[in-house]
Amino acid sequence: MAERGGSSVFGRELAALLERRGLSWRRFSTIVGCTPGWLSKIKNGAVPSAAFARRCDEVLDAGGKLVALAEAGAEAVVPVAQLPAVTGFFAGRVRELAALGELLGADQPPGQARVVVVDGSPGVGKTALVLRWAHDAAAGYPDGQLFVNLAGYAAGGRPLPAEEALERVLRALGTPAKSVPQSIEERAALYRSLLAGRRMLIVVDNVADGAEVDPLIPGSSACTVLVTSRTHLPGLGVRVGARHLTVGPMSEDESVSLLETVLGTRHPDCPEHVLRELARRCAHLPLALRIAAEQAVAGRHASPDDLLEHLVTDGLDVLALDEVTAIRSVFSWSYRSLPPRVAAMFRVLSVHPGTDFSVPAAAALADVAPAEAARLLAELTRAHLVEQRGHTRFQMHDLLRLYAIELAGAEDPPAERDRAARALVDWYVRSARAAAERIAPYRVRSSALRLPGAGGHALVRGRLVGGAVERSRDPQRRGRRPSGRGARAAPAGVAAAAGDDRLLLARQAVVGVAAPQRNRTRCRAGER
């Protein structure tokens, strides 16, 4: 295990132990019974015998560390190059690759490894991005590259404990199995000793808990650690000075480029508007885009246009190649890790008919106080299952919304979904009434905005409007029969049971008070 410059890990560890104990090299040679010349060779990279290493370990009370280092150095170590292949059809991500390079290019103080955490939602392409950068930068790490999958979110459901991860890494670095220490503290110490002075890249993939990463952080500024996680890991920033890069969905142009790359010569004349609509339906997630394109290439659908039609009607059922390569499965690994109350909030958000929502609206849906709703939404944001859009507004992309709808239909009784819909509409009606009374109290009578079903009367009869589109309960009136899990649990069907009049009543109140406001603005502007 000779290093550049003629030193060795064993020699450096021995030097450090002698310095801590106040022993000179000459004095130590007398104690262990060897010549100063031979000890000098050991210091400069010669591999010690097993007996000599044991003698040094006993004299210096090193706890077996010197023995392990000597055995690792005596074996013919295979060059460490553990990076998996980059996913096929990698496209785009130019800005993210540049940002990652900038974060890792900053100078580090001695004893502090460069650590960057790359986080983002399920299927957004975190591992693919990190591996692309790592392969491009591998030449800058001549002592090797390690890859550890902690399986924090995986099909098996069992994360890899840090002590097992350390054992695998130590074996990869040449430590014989019999020399791997038993305790996690000793394994971490040996790991740091083996990496001391070496320039190595360590990729720690699929992390659920930042504490599991701590033992895998080297104590050398020559090493770089890349961590991927579906959750933000602020603790690593505090403990080891980690920097953070959050990866979002691809841009529309990048999504189209990825689809064109995968479709290749099979569908060279696919209209651009079809590709852009496919990208939108896939929420610009690289995994969903690749699955959709592979479906077309494999001939499971006659054309991308046919695939788009099935994606509209069948939702998540289309985005699956097998049990593992499926958007639904990938989402489920994140959902299973949520505490019960957070998971319940995720499901109930599917009842909301709009594209984004506020903290008070979420509180009404979940029947909790606004402060508790904010806490639950913060947990979902940390897990990248919702996205914050401003101080108190959040949104969920289309595929996660479909998944939440499926879960709500499977896990929550109809009565609970109906309660949530009624509570949401009641909250909107109350908000509209409060706004109406404040903006134009002389135009709106409070009695005219009493809630239906609570002693009041409806001003307008009609069906619930989700966004700006009226959704009929009769599938034949919509021009197609619903199919797929997403269609069977559509949020409009849930919300329609809440009382069709209420959202229209709120909408009328808002429109009613907005009109005089616009007129007064025009008068002030000289339009009248």
Side-chain angles (χ1 to χ4, degrees):
M1 196 163 47
E3 302 293 327
R4 296 185 305 275
S7 63
S8 69
V9 177
F10 180 91
R12 287 194 299 275
E13 184 64 24
L14 180 59
L17 289 170
L18 291 175
E19 183 177 357
R20 284 199 291 271
R21 284 158 179 75
L23 290 172
S24 68
W25 287 91
R26 180 172 292 277
R27 172 63 178 157
F28 184 68
S29 70
T30 303
I31 295 174
V32 296
C34 72
T35 66
W38 171 242
L39 195 58
S40 178
K41 291 180 180 180
I42 297 293
K43 176 182 178 181
N44 290 296
V47 178
S49 66
F52 181 79
R54 283 195 298 273
R55 175 65 176 150
C56 292
D57 201 276
E58 291 170 0
V59 169
L60 296 173
D61 193 21
K65 182 184 295 186
L66 290 176
V67 174
L69 291 174
E71 290 176 342
E75 292 199 351
V77 180
V78 176
V80 182
Q82 294 186 335
L83 294 178
V86 179
T87 183
F89 306 114
F90 185 89
R93 298 303 196 189
V94 175
R95 286 177 299 178
E96 289 83 356
L97 288 169
L100 193 53
E102 289 180 8
L103 290 173
L104 292 170
D107 292 334
Q108 291 292 103
Q112 183 176 337
R114 292 176 175 83
V115 183
V116 172
V117 179
V118 178
D119 58 69
S121 63
V124 81
K126 302 176 292 294
T127 302
L129 174 70
V130 165
L131 288 178
R132 176 72 278 164
W133 187 92
H135 276 282
D136 291 344
Y141 298 92
D143 294 319
Q145 307 90 41
L146 293 165
F147 182 87
V148 185
N149 181 2
L150 291 187
Y153 304 92
R158 178 183 177 271
L160 181 68
E163 53 266 32
E164 289 187 31
L166 279 169
E167 181 179 8
R168 295 183 185 184
V169 169
L170 291 174
R171 294 292 306 277
L173 292 170
T175 306
K178 63 181 181 180
S179 299
V180 174
Q182 292 300 311
S183 73
I184 187 171
E185 292 81 7
E186 291 176 319
R187 290 181 180 184
L190 178 57
Y191 168 73
R192 291 192 294 272
S193 295
L194 290 172
L195 265 59
R198 305 175 78 175
R199 187 170 180 81
M200 296 193 71
L201 173 63
I202 302 99
V203 176
V204 187
D205 190 37
N206 206 356
V207 175
D209 183 359
E212 295 293 307
V213 181
D214 289 349
L216 294 166
I217 304 298
S220 170
S221 58
C223 292
T224 294
V225 182
L226 290 174
V227 179
T228 71
S229 178
R230 296 186 181 190
T231 60
H232 193 65
L233 303 174
L236 283 177
V238 175
R239 295 190 297 273
V240 299
R243 299 174 175 89
H244 294 266
L245 175 65
T246 298
V247 180
M250 300 179 83
S251 68
E252 185 177 50
D253 288 341
E254 287 177 326
S255 301
V256 170
S257 176
L258 178 56
L259 286 172
E260 290 175 336
T261 302
V262 180
L263 291 172
T265 58
R266 185 66 182 267
H267 300 284
D269 300 323
C270 182
E272 185 173 335
H273 74 274
V274 173
L275 294 177
R276 293 191 179 278
E277 182 61 16
L278 264 177
R280 189 185 71 81
R281 291 283 178 177
C282 291
H284 302 288
L285 292 181
L287 178 60
L289 292 165
R290 287 197 297 270
I291 292 175
E294 287 291 347
Q295 293 278 34
V297 170
R300 300 185 185 184
H301 300 278
S303 67
D305 203 17
D306 177 60
L307 172 65
L308 179 59
E309 181 178 345
H310 281 82
L311 189 58
V312 171
T313 58
D314 297 339
L316 300 182
D317 290 334
V318 176
L319 297 176
L321 298 176
D322 51 48
E323 289 187 4
V324 176
T325 313
I327 282 292
R328 186 182 287 112
S329 297
V330 172
F331 288 167
S332 72
W333 303 335
S334 288
Y335 175 74
R336 287 201 309 261
S337 70
L338 298 176
R341 288 179 64 83
V342 182
M345 172 63 87
F346 178 71
R347 296 194 305 271
V348 81
L349 289 174
S350 68
V351 176
H352 194 286
T355 56
D356 64 349
F357 48 88
S358 64
V359 171
L365 281 168
D367 193 22
V368 297
E372 174 66 2
R375 187 189 69 80
L376 297 174
L377 289 172
E379 286 292 310
L380 289 173
T381 302
R382 181 173 175 269
H384 291 287
L385 292 175
V386 300
E387 183 179 357
Q388 189 163 358
R389 289 293 196 186
H391 184 58
T392 61
R393 296 200 70 81
F394 298 79
Q395 72 175 24
M396 184 187 300
H397 70 61
D398 291 347
L399 294 183
L400 278 171
R401 180 177 170 79
L402 282 176
Y403 180 62
I405 290 168
E406 287 185 2
L407 291 172
E411 299 185 24
D412 297 326
E416 171 58 21
R417 302 198 301 274
D418 292 349
R419 179 215 58 77
R422 290 178 182 277
L424 176 67
V425 177
D426 287 352
W427 180 81
Y428 275 121
V429 171
R430 289 194 299 271
S431 298
R433 180 171 59 193
E437 292 176 346
R438 184 172 183 83
I439 295 173
Y442 54 88
R443 289 184 60 90
V444 181
R445 293 177 299 170
S446 296
S447 61
L449 284 172
R450 288 199 299 270
L451 299 178
H457 61 277
L459 301 180
V460 179
R461 308 295 294 183
R463 295 193 178 279
L464 179 72
V465 173
V469 181
E470 180 174 351
R471 301 170 186 252
S472 169
R473 297 185 202 178
D474 182 0
Q476 298 299 329
R477 291 180 60 186
R478 291 188 291 178
R480 60 177 175 85
R481 183 174 281 104
S483 60
R485 300 186 190 184
R488 287 196 296 271
V494 175
D500 296 330
D501 305 319
R502 299 190 179 194
L503 194 56
L504 288 177
L505 180 59
R507 185 168 177 263
Q508 184 198 31
V510 173
V511 171
V513 298
Q517 287 292 100
R518 287 195 299 269
N519 291 340
R520 285 198 295 273
T521 301
R522 288 171 182 165
C523 287
R524 286 194 296 269
E527 292 182 24
R528 288 190 176 182

